[in-house]
Amino acid sequence: MDRPAVISDRVTFNGTVTLLSLLVDGTLWWPEISQRSLKLDKEVLGFIADGPKIKLKTVVEVGDSCSCVAGSRAKLVRREVVFQPSSEELHKLWCHKLGDFIDSLGRPKKLFVFVNPFGGKKSGINIFNDEVKPLLQDSQIQFTLQETKHQLHAKEVVASLDVSKYDGIVCVSGDGILAEVVNGLLEREDWDSAIKTPLGVVPAGTGNGMVKSLLDSVGDPCAVANAVLAIIGGHKQPVDVATITQGETRFFSILMLAWGLVADIDIESEKYRWMGSSRIDFYALCRIICLRHYTGRVYFVPAPTFEAYGEPTSYPGISTSKGSISDQIDVEPVNLQRPSYQGPEVNLEDLSWRVINGPFISVWLHNVPWGAENTMAAPDAKFSDGYLDLIIMKDSPKLPLLSLMSKLENGDHVKSPYVTYLKVKAFVLEPGPRSKEREKEGIIDADGEVLARGKGSYQCEKKTLMAYDKLQIAVDQGLATFFTPV
């Protein structure tokens, strides 16, 4: 069957003269070579003219040599495909047609790239140089590289960056640098245009929850090459942004907020960092054996079909805590009076609020499915549905709790009778002290960073953005934009 072609030519390929066609759907097809074809949108990054030859920069899947192993996944490998058109005139035509088609794909041409040299295994620079940079160069994408020097450096850079010069901002890091970028964009006076800058993430941190969620949404592995190809492809996805407010301070979250068991494990396990990744499992066991319960309340506006959870109540109001006064943290807070993003335009007092009273083992809010590469915290979470997924554990015997925690890898923990799982539009957390140690309070963790440390908690002497007090969260649907695989 004839397939419509933009250009066909008898080219020299691997020392043999054979027919090559560029089809209207962007497929390069060698009809005389069995099963030989390349998709320009998915497999061809770019091309260069080298004398009479054309060199295609491609990326192809190479299967595991032990393909019999269940669950084995193909690896993406860079390859160069070279062919020589039959004449100088056709050489120019090939270059023109290939260039036109690739340009029509809407791929980014210039990116601003943050690399965190301190995150994860401290291999961010190596990941960029060895894996990210070659793919960007093959795609002829220009980039400006910025290594982060200290905490909040990315936020400081983004605050004054001329984003109009770039087609996107990329974070070769974990979720922390990404959160800094989002907060930096939303604190600008031109936040409404700045936040439309597409964001990309390449896994180089400890958690990597956002990039795992983006890649897993299409079944791709959470690998550097897959993440970079998602950015190069130029496809975009709106993502909800949650505004956490306390007094005159706010923090913009795109991943999650945790209080109780999950936050304690995430933050307190830092003391065992020398154990590597096993520190999380080890400390989770420690915390379950010596289980803490926290007093407090959670107020929420349920999504449709979740109205039966909790008890009806009125809007609980926002905390008047000063949060980030100068003796608590040495960065400027986001003041509500500044001409920055003001949060979602919704009258919270007019909404139908409900309340669940403690004590609690854990309270977890999630914007995307994955909290880390091995933690599917909220299996039903959507990128831009305008809701946060709320996961509550009020009480549980220790053995079922241990089993429950082991099911975080596939999201089956939400099926436990000891877990309450629902979607909410707005949320207020009123944290209290531990039930059996009233003189000790907890930790509130947002996007992998400590938002608040209560009295008697781990490293409570450290400065934090907010106080361990009531805080409010509201969601703005699809406010941010992310590069996505499709």
Side-chain angles (χ1 to χ4, degrees):
M1 182 177 67
D2 290 337
R3 303 174 69 180
V6 175
I7 180 175
S8 293
D9 183 19
R10 296 201 66 81
V11 304
T12 302
F13 176 72
N14 287 343
T16 302
V17 176
T18 185
L19 183 64
L20 173 62
S21 298
L22 172 59
L23 307 182
V24 293
D25 66 357
T27 300
L28 281 169
W29 183 40
W30 288 260
E32 297 170 2
I33 301 177
S34 177
Q35 297 182 332
R36 182 67 187 185
S37 66
L38 284 170
K39 292 280 189 181
L40 283 183
D41 60 341
K42 296 183 182 301
E43 297 171 294
V44 178
L45 301 176
F47 70 94
I48 57 172
D50 184 14
K53 299 177 180 179
I54 293 175
K55 294 182 177 180
L56 302 172
K57 304 292 184 175
T58 75
V59 60
V60 295
E61 288 189 345
V62 176
D64 193 304
S65 58
C66 300
S67 57
C68 56
V69 178
S72 61
R73 283 178 165 175
K75 181 180 179 182
L76 293 172
V77 178
R78 294 168 59 228
R79 292 275 171 84
E80 194 172 71
V81 176
V82 183
F83 69 92
Q84 182 172 327
S86 60
S87 69
E88 184 177 344
E89 183 178 347
L90 281 168
H91 182 283
K92 292 179 181 178
L93 186 58
W94 271 108
C95 289
H96 176 68
K97 295 299 183 183
L98 288 170
D100 280 354
F101 193 92
I102 291 174
D103 286 344
S104 73
L105 297 174
R107 292 176 175 177
K109 297 183 183 299
K110 190 172 184 180
L111 298 170
F112 191 92
V113 181
F114 284 106
V115 176
N116 180 8
F118 309 108
K121 298 178 181 178
K122 299 184 178 180
S123 56
I125 294 299
N126 290 336
I127 289 173
F128 176 79
N129 288 329
D130 298 343
E131 300 182 69
V132 180
K133 184 178 178 180
L135 290 169
L136 295 181
Q137 290 175 330
D138 284 353
S139 305
Q140 297 174 325
I141 294 176
Q142 299 177 38
F143 58 86
T144 299
L145 179 65
Q146 174 66 65
E147 288 186 42
T148 55
K149 306 297 184 184
H150 51 79
Q151 190 175 17
L152 299 178
H153 186 202
K155 181 180 174 183
E156 294 166 4
V157 171
V158 165
S160 59
L161 182 68
D162 186 353
V163 293
S164 66
K165 292 182 177 180
Y166 301 95
D167 300 314
I169 299 173
V170 174
C171 302
V172 182
S173 65
D175 297 306
I177 299 297
L178 177 62
E180 287 189 27
V181 169
V182 171
N183 277 266
L185 291 173
L186 288 173
E187 290 180 26
R188 294 164 57 117
E189 292 187 13
D190 64 343
W191 65 267
D192 52 342
S193 58
I195 194 60
K196 295 174 184 175
T197 306
L199 306 176
V201 200
V202 177
T206 303
N208 305 315
M210 178 58 78
V211 67
K212 170 71 174 185
S213 297
L214 291 165
L215 293 171
D216 187 67
S217 67
V218 296
D220 284 352
C222 188
V224 171
N226 295 85
V228 179
L229 287 184
I231 295 165
I232 291 171
H235 300 289
K236 302 173 187 72
Q237 162 77 55
V239 174
D240 296 342
V241 175
T243 302
I244 306 172
T245 307
Q246 185 185 79
E248 296 185 350
T249 307
R250 58 159 70 95
F251 177 85
F252 306 112
S253 168
I254 36 84
L255 191 68
M256 65 86 177
L257 178 138
W259 170 58
L261 179 63
V262 173
D264 291 349
I265 292 170
D266 188 21
I267 302 305
E268 294 178 12
S269 65
E270 289 288 327
K271 67 182 83 169
Y272 301 106
R273 183 168 280 277
W274 55 269
M275 295 179 66
S277 58
S278 61
R279 79 180 196 273
I280 298 291
D281 294 334
F282 168 76
Y283 196 69
L285 180 60
C286 294
R287 282 275 50 85
I288 290 171
I289 292 172
C290 301
L291 193 61
R292 299 168 181 164
H293 291 77
Y294 290 91
T295 61
R297 295 183 183 88
V298 294
Y299 304 85
F300 55 90
V301 177
T305 75
F306 294 98
E307 294 91 347
Y309 290 88
E311 300 296 329
T313 188
S314 58
Y315 173 56
I318 190 169
S319 171
T320 57
S321 291
K322 295 296 184 182
S324 60
I325 55 177
S326 58
D327 62 348
Q328 286 180 290
I329 190 166
D330 47 13
V331 296
E332 184 183 0
V334 189
N335 192 292
L336 299 185
Q337 303 306 313
R338 287 172 53 187
S340 60
Y341 174 58
Q342 298 297 302
E345 295 180 0
V346 57
N347 189 344
L348 296 177
E349 295 183 24
D350 293 343
L351 301 178
S352 298
W353 286 85
R354 301 186 73 84
V355 62
I356 296 177
N357 294 306
F360 302 96
I361 292 175
S362 178
V363 174
W364 210 357
L365 271 173
H366 249 269
N367 192 36
V368 296
W370 293 85
E373 288 187 52
N374 61 351
T375 305
M376 184 187 273
D380 295 338
K382 309 298 180 188
F383 291 110
S384 57
D385 62 354
Y387 299 104
L388 294 169
D389 283 36
L390 174 59
I391 308 105
I392 296 175
M393 284 186 281
K394 283 201 65 177
D395 201 7
S396 171
K398 292 179 181 179
L399 280 179
L401 180 56
L402 200 58
S403 173
L404 183 155
M405 296 296 284
S406 70
K407 295 176 181 177
L408 284 169
E409 289 189 0
N410 59 13
D412 281 351
H413 63 290
V414 300
K415 300 175 183 177
S416 167
Y418 303 105
V419 172
T420 300
Y421 183 39
L422 65 152
K423 287 181 177 287
V424 300
K425 178 66 178 176
F427 178 85
V428 171
L429 173 64
E430 192 175 285
R434 300 178 196 172
S435 297
K436 295 181 179 179
E437 298 176 281
R438 305 287 296 185
E439 73 282 1
K440 293 184 178 181
E441 297 174 326
I443 293 170
I444 303 173
D445 174 18
D447 291 7
E449 303 297 328
V450 178
L451 201 62
R453 299 179 194 266
K455 63 184 180 183
S457 65
Y458 176 66
Q459 295 185 334
C460 60
E461 72 284 354
K462 285 193 172 183
K463 299 173 182 178
T464 55
L465 184 66
M466 294 184 181
Y468 187 78
D469 198 354
K470 185 189 293 183
L471 52 81
Q472 172 184 290
I473 306 174
V475 188
D476 207 332
Q477 185 172 5
L479 182 64
T481 301
F482 279 74
F483 290 112
T484 189
V486 292

